[in-house]
Amino acid sequence: MTEFINYRVDVTLKDGTKSTGTITHVDSSQISLGNAIQSFNPNHAIANLSVPSSNIADLKVIQLPPQLLKNAKGKAKNNNAKYTNNENNPGEIRPGSTAPLLDDAIVFAKQGSVPPSKDAHNGNDRSSYNTPRGNYPNSRAGTPKLRSVKVQNHQNYSTAGSVDPDWGDESDVQEIKSAEFDFAANLAMFDKKSVFADFQKKDTVNPGDRLVGHNKVENVAKQRKEKYDNDEMVLDTSRNDNWDNIGSASKKLSISERANNSTSNLHKDSHLAATQNLKLVHADNLSPIPLASPVQLLEIERLSAESYGVSPSVMTEVCASNLSQLIANHVLGGSTRLSNKKNHNLPPLVLLLIGSSRCGSRAFATGRHLTNHGMRVLAFVINNEESDKNLTEQWTLFENCGGKIISSNVNELLNIINHQLDTPVELIIDALQGYDDHLEDVFYQEEDQQELRSLMNWCNEPHQSNKVMSLDIPSGIDGGSGTLSDDSLKLNCKWCISMGLPITGLILAYKNGHLESGDVQHYLIDVGIPNKVYSSKGNLRKFDKFWYSAESSIKLELSND
């Protein structure tokens, strides 16, 4: 960096102060200024001031070194003395004149294509005004010339009839512009071969140090392989991350084993809008699907267990089997992706959000089935102080089959997802509420509600909201009335899974403006409810249909008809 020595500069530091001086030394770490004057003490000159490079905000050159100024003045004098016009001979350049500015292309065209002619004003032959082109400075004077036969012939023709025009006549300039320019002849004047040969001669860089050097074999004597073995040039199939160390037993919080028959707060008020005729229909045959209130669905599940022996555990297993099949086939790529044993990528990652006891049990069971089919399932539990017996059993089975559980805080969950795992979350199963609970009842402590808000804010981000699958109804919306108690506690979803029967809160949520038509895909999942339950009581006979034949799930659509 010695080329910057003796430059006088104005240095602005990051703290706002300025220092002016002459550069005496400069390297990568600091710059030294001689006779430096600082802005906060302009009356005191410092003989040698060292400024660290990291503190410099801006640097301006205010004066060149004396030697450069002397050379620049000498060149200016030589140029002024070189070019002086001779009035008697316009083609001669004498000292003290200034070189006229001529276009090389126009001069070349005039020399090669314009025949001699008489001056229109005085009748003199303009050939007398012969201005040799070589007397004028040319930006391409140092360019190598290719002396081809074609160019020589062209030059012979140009020499025979070359004249220099009188540039004061505007009509001659128009004549030059209208003449056809010989691009081939001008291109042939540039000897590209000799130029590149000169570049190669001066090039001392080792080819191995260039950007393309990594593609070259270091040992040129080594023979390049044309065919590779079946274990060469392939991606590594043994990709690992921190999955095996997540949710260890030491971090797991204790779970209460006692059953708790919590009272569910159900709203029977439907508030149907008479002006709207929204309904759910079968996507294949467009037949209407009757809706059940939360009270009716609870009664149906109670009769299934007490009268027909289909316990909540049985319904949990049937629901998990059918829901995991729907997820694998319609969300995670099906057999094309999951059954491909040659796929070197890590398995898909599914996140479970556990809250409600009923939905949480079915979510745990679904995650267990997905784990058995090769997917990686991570469960996040905010509040696990009180859990019913079914949820406790499913929790244990899920963890025994390879599922991972995080039960601390949202920050730890996001740290694991963003930094410890190599695969992004592809599906988020929302089991925080369900149709028979409210978020305020499940997460009644202020600390849990803060964690819940943080979790929902993350799930509602644009790149996450299209991955959410809610069970029964999106969390935050009341299952009976379809209303919101807190606008900040609402989870946006892409899929909504009705387990057994769709509930009335779904349609009311659309009518109340909490759900938008077309944003959510609805599915109805068979949970193993006996068909005879619907005919056992009069208020349940409208559900007495063969809901499922060959299918274990039905796709639903919204209709205004």
Side-chain angles (χ1 to χ4, degrees):
M1 299 183 181
T2 57
E3 62 269 20
F4 300 107
I5 302 298
N6 295 329
Y7 278 75
R8 187 163 183 81
V9 296
D10 191 358
V11 179
T12 302
L13 303 183
K14 294 181 178 179
D15 59 1
T17 61
K18 294 184 178 180
S19 300
T20 304
T22 304
I23 298 178
T24 58
H25 174 76
V26 61
D27 54 31
S28 59
S29 60
Q30 66 178 2
I31 180 173
S32 299
L33 302 178
N35 296 326
I37 298 176
Q38 297 175 311
S39 60
F40 57 86
N41 192 9
N43 297 326
H44 177 67
I46 302 176
N48 189 9
L49 175 64
S50 297
V51 181
S53 302
S54 59
N55 295 341
I56 298 177
D58 190 16
L59 187 147
K60 295 181 180 180
V61 176
I62 59 177
Q63 184 178 345
L64 297 176
Q67 185 63 28
L68 287 179
L69 292 174
K70 182 178 179 181
N71 294 340
K73 292 179 180 179
K75 290 182 179 180
K77 291 180 179 180
N78 293 335
N79 291 337
N80 293 333
K82 183 177 180 181
Y83 303 112
T84 303
N85 294 329
N86 189 343
E87 296 178 357
N88 298 325
N89 188 359
E92 179 184 356
I93 300 176
R94 67 183 184 182
S97 65
T98 302
L101 300 178
L102 298 181
D103 192 301
D104 291 341
I106 297 179
V107 173
F108 177 82
K110 287 294 293 183
Q111 289 178 349
S113 59
V114 179
S117 61
K118 295 291 183 177
D119 191 290
H121 300 284
N122 51 26
N124 295 330
D125 191 339
R126 289 207 308 269
S127 60
S128 62
Y129 298 98
N130 184 21
T131 304
R133 184 185 175 200
N135 293 336
Y136 295 100
N138 189 350
S139 61
R140 296 193 295 270
T143 305
K145 303 299 189 296
L146 181 63
R147 310 297 295 180
S148 64
V149 177
K150 181 176 180 180
V151 176
Q152 291 177 1
N153 294 336
H154 181 81
Q155 290 180 350
N156 292 336
Y157 168 77
S158 300
T159 305
S162 64
V163 291
D164 283 321
D166 182 6
W167 298 107
D169 193 345
E170 184 179 356
S171 62
D172 293 335
V173 177
Q174 298 298 330
E175 182 181 356
I176 294 299
K177 292 182 178 180
S178 62
E180 184 177 359
F181 184 74
D182 192 347
F183 287 96
N186 280 270
L187 183 61
M189 295 175 63
F190 176 66
D191 190 358
K192 184 166 60 175
K193 183 177 180 181
S194 63
V195 171
F196 280 96
D198 185 55
F199 288 164
Q200 187 174 7
K201 182 179 179 181
K202 296 180 180 179
D203 187 10
T204 59
V205 179
N206 185 5
D209 297 335
R210 298 186 184 277
L211 183 60
V212 296
H214 67 281
N215 291 328
K216 297 183 180 296
V217 181
E218 295 181 1
N219 186 6
V220 294
K222 182 180 178 180
Q223 184 179 2
R224 187 186 298 272
K225 295 182 66 174
E226 296 182 358
K227 295 184 178 180
Y228 293 89
D229 297 332
N230 57 4
D231 59 346
E232 295 180 303
M233 298 294 289
V234 295
L235 294 173
D236 186 12
T237 58
S238 58
R239 293 181 58 189
N240 294 315
D241 52 18
N242 200 38
W243 174 255
D244 294 333
N245 299 325
I246 295 175
S248 59
S250 59
K251 294 183 179 180
K252 175 183 174 182
L253 300 179
S254 60
I255 309 173
S256 176
E257 294 292 339
R258 56 191 178 90
N260 179 27
N261 297 325
S262 60
T263 304
S264 300
N265 295 325
L266 304 175
H267 294 270
K268 300 180 181 181
D269 189 8
S270 299
H271 301 288
L272 295 175
T275 58
Q276 295 178 334
N277 194 24
L278 281 177
K279 59 184 177 181
L280 289 173
V281 298
H282 197 297
D284 293 336
N285 53 32
L286 301 182
S287 59
I289 305 295
L291 305 178
S293 66
V295 173
Q296 289 175 322
L297 192 51
L298 277 177
E299 180 69 10
I300 290 172
E301 293 184 359
R302 184 189 66 79
L303 291 174
S304 299
E306 295 179 358
S307 302
Y308 299 93
V310 181
S311 64
S313 299
V314 174
M315 284 189 281
T316 298
E317 287 299 322
V318 175
C319 175
S321 177
N322 295 333
L323 182 55
S324 62
Q325 184 179 0
L326 174 68
I327 293 173
N329 293 334
H330 296 279
V331 179
L332 298 180
S335 59
T336 304
R337 175 190 183 189
L338 303 177
S339 300
N340 186 5
K341 302 302 180 183
K342 296 182 180 180
N343 189 350
H344 63 277
N345 294 310
L346 292 172
L349 178 62
V350 179
L351 175 63
L352 309 179
L353 306 181
I354 305 299
S356 171
S357 298
R358 172 181 166 277
C359 277
S361 301
R362 297 181 180 183
F364 269 134
T366 302
R368 171 166 47 85
H369 281 271
L370 293 176
T371 301
N372 290 337
H373 287 272
M375 282 150 274
R376 303 201 294 185
V377 184
L378 177 66
F380 180 68
V381 182
I382 295 180
N383 183 359
N384 60 353
E385 293 180 356
E386 294 184 0
S387 301
D388 63 4
K389 181 179 179 181
N390 191 23
L391 179 62
T392 302
E393 292 176 354
Q394 295 299 334
W395 178 313
T396 304
L397 292 175
F398 170 76
E399 207 166 19
N400 291 340
C401 292
K404 304 295 182 179
I405 298 178
I406 302 298
S407 56
S408 54
N409 54 61
V410 177
N411 292 331
E412 180 181 354
L413 172 67
L414 298 182
N415 177 64
I416 292 174
I417 293 175
N418 297 328
H419 303 293
Q420 300 186 32
L421 299 178
D422 288 341
T423 53
V425 175
E426 297 189 33
L427 178 65
I428 302 174
I429 298 181
D430 167 28
L432 295 172
Q433 175 184 310
Y435 74 88
D436 57 342
D437 272 319
H438 294 93
L439 291 179
E440 295 83 355
D441 297 333
V442 179
F443 308 100
Y444 55 88
Q445 296 183 359
E446 183 64 26
E447 182 180 356
D448 293 341
Q449 291 187 6
Q450 292 179 358
E451 291 293 333
L452 180 63
R453 283 187 172 86
S454 300
L455 179 63
M456 285 192 167
N457 289 336
W458 176 75
C459 292
N460 288 334
E461 292 178 358
H463 60 284
Q464 301 292 349
S465 59
N466 60 346
K467 304 175 183 178
V468 178
M469 174 182 287
S470 295
L471 302 185
D472 287 330
I473 195 168
S475 292
I477 301 178
D478 182 77
S481 62
T483 58
L484 281 175
S485 58
D486 189 344
D487 293 338
S488 63
L489 293 178
K490 174 184 176 282
L491 196 61
N492 301 324
C493 68
K494 181 179 180 180
W495 301 277
C496 184
I497 307 300
S498 298
M499 298 181 291
L501 288 172
I503 57 176
T504 55
L506 287 175
I507 294 299
L508 295 178
Y510 281 103
K511 296 180 179 181
N512 295 330
H514 302 313
L515 292 179
E516 296 293 334
S517 179
D519 292 346
V520 183
Q521 300 179 24
H522 292 272
Y523 285 90
L524 181 61
I525 296 293
D526 181 16
V527 297
I529 298 175
N531 289 329
K532 290 187 176 182
V533 171
Y534 304 128
S535 59
S536 61
K537 298 188 69 174
N539 63 335
L540 303 179
R541 288 179 182 176
K542 65 177 181 179
F543 306 114
D544 189 9
K545 296 182 179 180
F546 289 97
W547 295 97
Y548 314 95
S549 52
E551 310 90 359
S552 58
S553 62
I554 299 175
K555 185 175 182 180
L556 306 179
E557 292 182 355
L558 278 175
S559 175
N560 286 319
D561 298 336

